[in-house]
Amino acid sequence: MALRVTPLGAAQQVGRSCILLEIGGRNVLLDCGVAAHSSGSYYPEFSLLGEVQSLDVVIITHFHLDHVGALPYLTEILGYHGPILMTHPTRAIGPIIIKDALSFRRDAEGLTPEMVDAPFDRARCFQLQERVEIGDLSVTSFYAGHVLGAVMVHLECRGQSALYTGDFTMVPDYHLSAARAPLALHPDVMITETTCCTTIRSSKRREVNDLCSKVQDCLEKGGKVLVPLLVMGRSTEICMILEEHWAKAKLAYPIFVISTMAQKARVFFQTFASWGSKRVRSTDRPFAFPHVRFGTLSELLALSGPAVALAGSAMLDFGPSQELFKSWAPEKRNLIVIPGYCLPGTVGNLVQAKEKKIELSSGIVQVRCEVDHFSISDHTDSRGIVELISQVAPRQVVLVHGGLQLMDTFRAIVQKRLRLPCHMPAVGDHVEIPSPAVLEAWASSLLMAQSEPVPPPPVLGVPLIHAKAPVVTTFRGELRKRDRGALELHAAQGPSARAKAKARRILIRQKGRLPCEALKAALRDSNQAVPEDLSSIFEVAGATILVDQIQAGTAAVTISWVAGLEDREPILQQMLDILG
Ligand SMILES: [Zn+2]
């Protein structure tokens, strides 16, 4: 059965991340988010699922609405009762964000704030790099940066494997570290976000310096600075950046965070400080911000002196940030700093595009203030995605969570530079990834005893070639039949791989010489056609025999098998006896 990827959302678009992954006969829903802005469908195309109970598990990568917002709809309205996996920070913060969003939405199709907690209450939480088994499906999470508690997930089931990145950052933030995925995971498919897949950023240090000097200039001229953002997301990062600069430049301007969620956000960052960057973990009070105050919208609207305001929504579509935008944008000495990505069609996107007149439902806003965009983004840039693909070394790549044209440009990079098959499916398209045959072997104790010395575990992802006979490798891993008959042993992932090196999957390969007549007899005995020219690959009794060379009635062969001693057919035993 082929591995299959079907996006129910986030396909050639940003928003409503929701991907059906069929892997090893299991159905996994990767994320369950809502649309990132008001036009178009709010929920993913759940109708493509058929029966929701056919899902084996739902995995949520992080608490952003476009990754988790539709989870209560799936469970409370559509009736999914199966397992749900997420991290502790996502379980703590997700419901708060969804309830807040519901207070702005009128068309949530029957979903009420009272329904939101249920799926989070029964979700199972995983630790970083913990391998969670759900039947024969195993799920391992890796740190993704991006926002507090965000992970990417590696899934394995019956010899098939996939890595789903969720959203990720490859450069460390002030408050979070960069994503950490193991080298050479070699999944059959890597499903990656592509939000900023054509952006190349300058260094973080330069971006931060530019931001701080622009903000300081504006304040010194008596202006006000508006930073629209998701308070539960980037506000901690911006506060840390500004506080560091305030201390260096000895500034005293107030920094207001305007949101009912601001104090909760602070508590969560303190509670889950172990998810933070090295800077956070090595500082006594990393979130002691002496200049930051929790303000109200009316307080800010009445303010006359210079100040910085961090307020949601991030794309200026609603909320206090839009109210402040209406009030502050017409004044020349003010500054609007857009720190992240704004979807096309949003007010933030128009501001970013330096539109001078912006029409809102309440009237036209004249934008006379300065506007600047800084990539203090929580999404990696083009280089970061290429770097992660190169590190992970998948067999194929599927692009999601990005604009159509950007994805198209980036796909060419993956195909030409990385030489990998790369897909960018639309909603409802199926991408089928054919799987290599997987051979599993269990070594008997007798075989183990006969096979001395036991070599050390192989290097992850490096093909095994053993010239001596007989050679046995004991190592937990997975044998994969590669092109041209080669076999590779892939190590099991996770920190426990070395500890479990005595586990039972093995590859045995030996070289030797075999009389052509013996080989022909073996083929006849196993009811196979005997070609005149023996230079080929044969399968005999579960072993692969590669004829390297024939000379004077003798074949130089490489014989590989993947079975325990007691499983061997007598015919194979005879051949091994001849090989000696
Ligand atoms: Zn996100």
Side-chain angles (χ1 to χ4, degrees):
M1 89 212 81
L3 188 154
R4 197 157 83 150
V5 180
T6 310
L8 313 187
Q12 303 173 1
Q13 62 178 195
V14 175
R16 51 181 197 149
S17 281
C18 191
I19 296 145
L20 175 63
L21 174 71
E22 292 162 74
I23 179 168
R26 300 279 159 201
N27 296 323
V28 181
L29 200 63
L30 299 168
D31 280 330
C32 193
V34 293
H37 72 107
S38 43
S39 62
S41 307
Y42 189 52
Y43 291 117
E45 299 304 322
F46 287 125
S47 57
L48 295 166
L49 283 178
E51 180 53 50
V52 289
Q53 301 309 346
S54 66
L55 290 174
D56 291 287
V57 62
V58 176
I59 302 172
I60 303 293
T61 58
H62 64 285
F63 65 69
H64 276 157
L65 269 186
D66 61 326
H67 292 257
V68 73
L71 180 65
Y73 185 82
L74 180 74
T75 59
E76 306 313 296
I77 305 285
L78 299 181
Y80 170 71
H81 301 304
I84 301 165
L85 277 180
M86 61 181 69
T87 64
H88 284 283
T90 303
R91 186 164 79 166
I93 301 169
I96 297 170
I97 303 252
I98 298 173
K99 285 178 201 169
D100 184 60
L102 283 176
S103 64
F104 294 100
R105 294 278 322 182
R106 289 181 192 282
D107 56 342
E109 297 179 30
L111 190 70
T112 62
E114 294 70 40
M115 296 174 176
V116 171
D117 287 324
F120 293 91
D121 288 346
R122 67 182 178 81
R124 174 172 172 187
C125 289
F126 48 22
Q127 305 290 339
L128 277 177
Q129 298 187 27
E130 181 191 0
R131 192 179 166 101
V132 174
E133 312 273 347
I134 296 165
D136 48 7
L137 171 78
S138 75
V139 183
T140 312
S141 63
F142 298 106
Y143 192 86
H146 187 59
V147 288
L148 187 66
V151 287
M152 32 186 88
V153 285
H154 182 233
L155 303 104
E156 294 166 285
C157 187
R158 296 183 200 168
Q160 297 182 339
S161 60
L163 179 78
Y164 172 54
T165 66
D167 294 349
F168 67 102
T169 33
M170 291 294 279
V171 175
D173 277 338
Y174 274 55
H175 77 304
L176 294 171
S177 302
R180 290 190 292 265
L183 292 173
L185 264 178
H186 291 302
D188 294 319
V189 64
M190 172 170 160
I191 306 166
T192 180
E193 70 127 324
T194 49
T195 318
C196 302
C197 64
T198 55
T199 308
I200 301 278
R201 298 208 180 97
S202 58
S203 80
K204 177 112 184 172
R205 174 61 31 210
R206 191 185 302 168
E207 290 279 340
V208 165
N209 288 345
D210 285 355
L211 166 74
C212 292
S213 62
K214 277 267 165 67
V215 168
Q216 187 177 345
D217 281 355
C218 168
L219 296 169
E220 281 172 351
K221 282 186 270 169
K224 300 187 188 78
V225 181
L226 170 62
V227 188
L229 42 66
L230 176 70
V231 168
M232 203 59 98
R234 300 309 276 171
S235 66
T236 308
E237 180 73 4
I238 306 283
C239 286
M240 285 179 86
I241 290 171
L242 295 182
E243 284 288 2
E244 186 189 70
H245 182 71
W246 262 226
K248 262 193 240 158
K250 300 197 172 20
L251 305 182
Y253 301 107
I255 301 164
F256 288 93
V257 182
I258 305 161
S259 165
T260 49
M261 284 196 273
Q263 267 156 319
K264 282 184 192 154
R266 182 74 59 86
V267 171
F268 286 127
F269 275 98
Q270 275 158 352
T271 308
F272 299 113
S274 62
W275 284 78
S277 61
K278 207 170 162 194
R279 184 192 294 248
V280 165
R281 283 177 282 123
S282 59
T283 311
D284 274 349
R285 297 177 63 225
F287 307 117
F289 300 140
H291 302 93
V292 172
R293 294 195 226 152
F294 300 120
T296 61
L297 178 61
S298 47
E299 191 183 342
L300 261 285
L301 288 171
L303 195 79
S304 55
V308 178
L310 315 184
S313 63
M315 302 186 200
L316 291 168
D317 272 346
F318 56 86
S321 67
Q322 192 181 75
E323 296 307 314
L324 290 172
F325 166 71
K326 286 194 267 186
S327 167
W328 293 1
E331 207 175 320
K332 218 173 165 189
R333 63 180 174 172
N334 294 340
L335 168 68
I336 298 175
V337 171
I338 310 263
Y341 174 79
C342 287
L343 276 170
T346 59
V347 178
N349 189 271
L350 296 173
V351 174
Q352 230 173 352
K354 310 257 164 131
E355 293 284 336
K356 292 293 167 208
K357 276 186 189 173
I358 295 179
E359 201 176 333
L360 303 177
S361 55
S362 53
I364 288 176
V365 179
Q366 304 278 354
V367 184
R368 295 194 194 90
C369 70
E370 216 182 316
V371 172
D372 232 311
H373 175 249
F374 291 93
S375 279
I376 313 292
S377 173
D378 46 14
H379 293 276
T380 193
D381 69 355
S382 177
R383 270 191 300 229
I385 307 174
V386 168
E387 188 187 332
L388 188 69
I389 296 174
S390 309
Q391 273 181 22
V392 166
R395 290 176 49 237
Q396 301 210 18
V397 177
V398 172
L399 308 181
V400 294
H401 199 290
L404 176 62
Q405 283 173 359
L406 305 185
M407 261 189 198
D408 201 35
T409 307
F410 186 71
R411 178 169 63 168
I413 296 174
V414 177
Q415 288 170 331
K416 288 188 188 135
R417 194 175 337 147
L418 303 177
R419 296 175 192 279
L420 287 172
C422 185
H423 315 267
M424 39 179 284
V427 169
D429 284 355
H430 304 297
V431 176
E432 297 226 349
I433 313 280
S435 260
V438 173
L439 306 172
E440 292 188 4
W442 302 75
S444 70
S445 52
L446 180 56
L447 180 61
M448 299 276 284
Q450 286 181 345
S451 305
E452 294 293 339
V454 177
V459 177
L460 206 64
V462 174
L464 290 176
I465 297 171
H466 298 305
K468 289 180 197 156
V471 175
V472 171
T473 300
T474 59
F475 193 68
R476 183 159 190 244
E478 182 181 87
L479 286 164
R480 291 183 177 190
K481 201 171 184 177
R482 288 293 181 192
D483 298 340
R484 282 172 258 121
L487 289 166
E488 288 175 17
L489 177 67
H490 289 267
Q493 298 309 317
S496 58
R498 189 164 279 273
K500 289 183 181 168
K502 284 275 178 192
R504 300 155 298 254
R505 296 179 191 188
I506 62 158
L507 164 68
I508 307 163
R509 177 179 292 180
Q510 66 186 62
K511 283 178 177 287
R513 305 188 75 78
L514 196 63
C516 289
E517 284 312 312
L519 179 56
K520 284 178 184 172
L523 290 172
R524 273 195 297 271
D525 287 352
S526 60
N527 297 322
Q528 291 190 52
V530 181
E532 207 47 52
D533 172 14
L534 280 176
S535 57
S536 185
I537 298 173
F538 304 101
E539 297 278 338
V540 178
T544 303
I545 301 166
L546 173 66
V547 179
D548 299 316
Q549 204 184 22
I550 295 178
Q551 226 174 19
T554 306
V557 297
T558 305
I559 178 165
S560 315
W561 77 97
V562 284
L565 192 64
E566 71 276 19
D567 302 328
R568 282 191 222 153
E569 300 287 330
I571 202 167
L572 179 58
Q573 187 60 60
Q574 283 168 19
M575 292 174 61
L576 290 167
D577 290 341
I578 296 168
L579 284 166

